[in-house]
């Protein structure tokens, strides 16, 4: 037979245990030392972050110049083909073997250039990622050091804090990063080309 009184007490006891555990962990969390840091600001405002940005900008400009040198003649060829095709039907274009060959070569070269542009963009992203890894590792070690110095239990990203005023260590992290690291190797990554 179902015993409502016994089931109610068991449920109430279990709920009280869960509630007590939750309150204990909330209380422990409230007594924790919490620090916050804006790592994006640290990276962007740091000497090393600005160094990486400058190096990537130079690489992007060089790559853009190289790609433009290939794109300009291709664009001229495209205009020449447009003039040659103007006023002709599709059948007339297909019947003209030389024009058809020019169009096919132009399409192939255009696709090759688009692929080269995509590869160059991916290489720059990989280059930035590798440089950022080095900087982020240094930022993490600085944050770890500050957390130990201040006996912090938790360090959060500044953007994650919705309410409260935990100690913000962004300025301290930035100052230490600037004193410990001003440059990193920013070496152009290369993908295999087919």
């Amino acid at each position: 037979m179902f015993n409502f009184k016994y089931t109610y007490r068991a449920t109430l006891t279990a709920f009280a245990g869960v509630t007590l555990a939750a309150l204990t962990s909330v209380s422990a969390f409230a007594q924790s030392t919490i620090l916050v840091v804006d790592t994006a600001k640290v990276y962007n405002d740091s000497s090393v972050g600005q160094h990486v940005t400058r190096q990537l900008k130079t690489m992007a400009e060089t790559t853009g110049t190289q790609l433009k040198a290939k794109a300009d003649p291709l664009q001229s060829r495209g205009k020449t083909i447009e003039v040659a095709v103007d006023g002709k039907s599709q059948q007339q274009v297909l019947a003209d073997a030389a024009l058809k060959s020019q169009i096919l070569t132009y399409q192939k070269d255009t696709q090759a250039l688009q692929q080269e542009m995509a590869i160059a963009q991916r290489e720059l992203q990989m280059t930035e990622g590798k440089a950022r890894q080095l900087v982020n590792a240094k930022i993490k070690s600085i944050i770890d050091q500050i957390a130990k110095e201040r006996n912090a239990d938790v360090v959060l990203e500044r953007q994650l804090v919705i309410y409260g005023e935990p100690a913000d260590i962004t300025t301290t992290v930035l100052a230490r990063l600037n004193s410990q690291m001003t440059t990193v190797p920013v070496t152009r990554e290369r993908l295999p080309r087919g």
Side-chain angles (χ1 to χ4, degrees):
M1 179 173 180
F2 179 75
N3 186 339
F4 177 76
K5 198 179 229 184
Y6 174 76
T7 305
Y8 176 73
R9 273 193 209 140
T11 304
L12 191 56
T13 303
F15 179 72
V18 169
T19 304
L20 182 59
L23 288 174
T24 303
S25 64
V26 168
S27 174
F29 190 72
Q31 295 172 3
S32 298
T33 302
I34 301 171
L35 304 175
V36 295
V37 62
D38 185 342
T39 55
K41 180 174 177 46
V42 170
Y43 181 86
N44 292 330
D45 293 356
S46 69
S47 298
V48 68
Q50 291 171 5
H51 164 76
V52 171
T53 300
R54 283 191 305 274
Q55 296 297 310
L56 288 167
K57 182 180 178 190
T58 300
M59 284 180 195
E61 287 170 353
T62 301
T63 301
T65 301
Q66 293 167 347
L67 291 171
K68 187 176 183 328
K70 293 179 179 182
D72 287 347
L74 194 58
Q75 189 174 18
S76 295
R77 282 173 45 202
K79 288 179 181 177
T80 302
I81 291 171
E82 279 181 29
V83 170
V85 170
D86 190 37
K88 293 185 178 179
S89 69
Q90 185 176 4
Q91 291 171 335
Q92 289 172 321
V93 170
L94 293 174
D96 186 337
L99 182 57
K100 182 180 171 184
S101 176
Q102 284 180 346
I103 292 170
L104 291 174
T105 303
Y106 172 76
Q107 289 172 340
K108 180 182 166 193
D109 292 346
T110 300
Q111 288 173 348
L113 181 61
Q114 289 171 343
Q115 184 178 10
E116 191 173 345
M117 292 168 114
I119 288 171
Q121 183 178 10
R122 180 69 184 123
E123 288 174 344
L124 289 172
Q125 289 170 344
M126 289 168 55
T127 302
E128 180 182 18
K130 199 165 189 179
R132 272 186 177 262
Q133 279 182 336
L134 297 171
V135 178
N136 288 340
K138 178 54 92 174
I139 290 172
K140 184 184 180 321
S141 73
I142 292 169
I143 291 170
D144 290 346
Q145 183 183 21
I146 294 169
K148 286 176 187 166
E149 290 169 7
R150 298 193 186 185
N151 294 319
D153 300 303
V154 179
V155 180
L156 299 173
E157 272 291 344
R158 182 82 186 126
Q159 293 78 8
L160 296 177
V161 177
I162 297 171
Y163 178 78
E165 290 298 323
D168 191 326
I169 59 170
T170 302
T171 305
T172 307
V173 174
L174 177 59
R176 289 192 190 181
L177 180 61
N178 282 336
S179 70
Q180 295 176 27
M181 178 185 268
T182 55
T183 64
V184 291
V186 184
T187 308
R188 174 69 180 260
E189 294 293 310
R190 297 286 179 186
L191 290 170
R193 283 166 167 75

